[in-house]
Amino acid sequence: MATLLAGAAQAGQVDNLRLWAAPDHARLVFDLASPTQANVFALDNPRRLVIDLDDSRMAAAIEDLDLSGSAISEVRSGTRNGNGLRVVLELERAVEPRHFTLAPNDQYGHRLVVDLEYPGESAVEDPIDPIEAMIREQEIIASRGQTMSESSSGQDASAPTEALKPAQPHPRRDIIVAIDAGHGGEDPGAIGPAGTREKDVVMEIARRLQGLVDSAEGFRAVMIRDGDYYVGLRQRTRIAREQKADFFVSIHADAFNSPRPNGSSVYALSQRGATSETAQWLAASENQADLIGGVDGSLSLDDKDEVLRGVLLDLTMTATLNDSLTIGGQMLDQLGRVNRLHKPRVEQAGFVVLKSPDIPSLLVETGFISNPEEERRLNDGGHQQKMAESMFGGIRGHFQRNPPPASLLAWQRDRNRDTDDNDYRIQPGDTLSEIAARHDVPVAQLRQANELNGDVIRVGQVLRIPRS
């Protein structure tokens, strides 16, 4: 973040300018002495963005603003129509601007926020490989197809035409873990008694978790934010879905209006609201953070096929939530070995960042930053590492026991698996229909016994043959 501070506030002036640069956008915040009308428009040849403020003056040395990492090459200002202020941003690339104003809160006064979004850019530094994305998309489509079959009464899901695809080579893809460091940019999150900002400590833990995930065979991390900038709550889950994540974890540091509470907590989504007063209060405070970005934080399924919406909410969300609770229990067990637990079980609350219907998701409160002792521990590199190791221990344990079908972990499990008379190892050219006919088993029963989504099978995969 770049920041410029000015002298005493006066009516109709810009007191402060702050800039955050992200991979797909830049955010420029004007701290204002009073509410001011703004007009924002773009000019070409050369590219510029013009910001006009009525009855205002500039009270900060804008030439000192750090523009590195943004699309802005220069900022200049001047008087407009005698008593107005014009700020001109010289741009190095095409942008899609948007702007909005924010009322004062506990941390800031009146603000004008100008976002410069970069068309075609990914929100993550290192997006998923297109081939891996295609493989993961095929898995998702197969899973949704199976969900549709299960939800349709009177349909025979074992029709031979559904199971004639020959076995494919095993892709051995990585399991994608989306890591979300909470808050960021103009939203510091909770602030401890010694001034520790939540956004800083959770980013340190997130980077340590990223290192553990990337160094483990068969896993790959995607950082939802990779620097000090803000990402909207719905955008966080949208990024995870775009990157075809198998799992999403949002990392936070709790706070309360008393210094006494302490300990770590793990939250999964509750479809019926919070399971405790603490969870309900916390969910409301975390969800309100999105108001800083001016974005509605409600659940959206706009990217889903309309026919599937009811099915996804009723069936897929239930399966996703069950996986979230399972992983959460394992993670909580690991966290309890390095830190006191605030609650002995996985809590459930209506966090916006947990509302992805197709990605198991957890929110981890690493500790109470409002507790002086835990604030000190959260700043300690050794403790941060242990927290990251505990989180990854729960994630890895789950996926080693339940690897996605096309993953490297699934291939390793099948390759090392001993077979008996009730097992069959898939050979090149096999189809699910042929295997079912060869063993005199209905296709639907074979799918059910092996928890198969659709008829996609892999060479080397081991199927359990059900016996009557």
Side-chain angles (χ1 to χ4, degrees), residues 341-416:
L341 297 180
H342 185 62
K343 290 291 181 68
R345 59 185 174 83
V346 178
E347 293 283 286
Q348 292 180 251
F351 291 109
V352 171
V353 292
L354 300 182
K355 288 187 176 181
S356 177
D358 45 8
I359 305 174
S361 305
L362 292 174
L363 185 147
V364 179
E365 295 285 1
T366 53
F368 278 80
I369 201 170
S370 51
N371 179 289
E373 175 59 23
E374 282 208 322
E375 179 186 19
R376 183 191 65 79
R377 285 163 60 81
L378 287 169
N379 277 304
D380 179 76
H383 183 68
Q384 293 171 356
Q385 184 69 21
K386 289 178 181 178
M387 296 298 291
E389 290 171 354
S390 297
M391 291 182 218
F392 186 51
I395 297 168
R396 179 169 52 187
H398 171 80
F399 283 110
Q400 285 176 335
R401 284 184 286 273
N402 305 279
S407 66
L408 174 66
L409 268 63
W411 177 79
Q412 290 174 334
R413 177 199 60 188
D414 287 335
R415 184 187 61 174
N416 298 324

Side-chain angles (χ1 to χ4, degrees), residues 197-412:
R197 300 181 301 184
E198 180 181 2
K199 70 173 183 177
D200 297 329
V201 295
V202 299
M203 176 55 81
E204 288 296 322
I205 296 171
R207 290 197 189 283
R208 292 175 184 275
L209 179 57
Q210 177 190 24
L212 292 169
V213 172
D214 284 338
S215 64
E217 187 180 31
F219 287 88
R220 182 175 167 224
V222 169
M223 295 289 281
I224 299 300
R225 72 171 177 95
D226 201 27
D228 186 18
Y229 50 85
Y230 184 76
V231 180
L233 299 182
R234 286 197 332 191
Q235 176 70 2
R236 295 177 194 238
T237 57
R238 191 177 301 121
I239 292 170
R241 191 177 295 115
E242 288 171 354
Q243 297 302 307
K244 312 302 178 187
D246 296 276
F247 179 71
F248 175 94
V249 57
S250 187
I251 305 173
H252 291 257
D254 216 339
F256 201 64
N257 54 16
S258 163
R260 287 176 295 185
N262 61 85
S264 302
S265 305
V266 175
Y267 289 84
L269 178 66
S270 171
Q271 292 170 298
R272 296 182 180 179
T275 56
S276 72
E277 288 297 322
T278 300
Q280 188 173 27
W281 178 87
L282 184 59
S285 66
E286 294 289 2
N287 292 347
Q288 286 298 312
D290 214 30
L291 295 178
I292 292 176
V295 182
D296 175 19
S298 60
L299 172 62
S300 172
L301 293 178
D302 290 342
D303 58 337
K304 297 291 182 289
D305 183 272
E306 188 169 350
V307 178
L308 285 175
R309 289 182 184 179
V311 176
L312 287 170
L313 288 174
D314 293 340
L315 296 178
T316 306
M317 183 69 92
T318 299
T320 300
L321 180 55
N322 288 339
D323 282 345
S324 300
L325 292 170
T326 299
I327 301 172
Q330 296 177 34
M331 189 179 291
L332 201 64
D333 179 66
Q334 296 284 330
L335 286 168
R337 301 177 188 183
V338 301
N339 200 41
R340 182 184 180 277
L341 297 180
H342 185 62
K343 290 291 181 68
R345 59 185 174 83
V346 178
E347 293 283 286
Q348 292 180 251
F351 291 109
V352 171
V353 292
L354 300 182
K355 288 187 176 181
S356 177
D358 45 8
I359 305 174
S361 305
L362 292 174
L363 185 147
V364 179
E365 295 285 1
T366 53
F368 278 80
I369 201 170
S370 51
N371 179 289
E373 175 59 23
E374 282 208 322
E375 179 186 19
R376 183 191 65 79
R377 285 163 60 81
L378 287 169
N379 277 304
D380 179 76
H383 183 68
Q384 293 171 356
Q385 184 69 21
K386 289 178 181 178
M387 296 298 291
E389 290 171 354
S390 297
M391 291 182 218
F392 186 51
I395 297 168
R396 179 169 52 187
H398 171 80
F399 283 110
Q400 285 176 335
R401 284 184 286 273
N402 305 279
S407 66
L408 174 66
L409 268 63
W411 177 79
Q412 290 174 334

Side-chain angles (χ1 to χ4, degrees), residues 453-466:
N453 294 323
D455 64 330
V456 176
I457 54 177
R458 308 289 181 184
V459 174
Q461 184 178 355
V462 176
L463 298 180
R464 175 69 62 179
I465 307 299

Side-chain angles (χ1 to χ4, degrees), residues 77 81 88 138 153 244 371 388 397 402:
S77 69
N81 295 339
V88 179
Q138 290 172 347
S153 58
K244 312 302 178 187
N371 179 289
N402 305 279

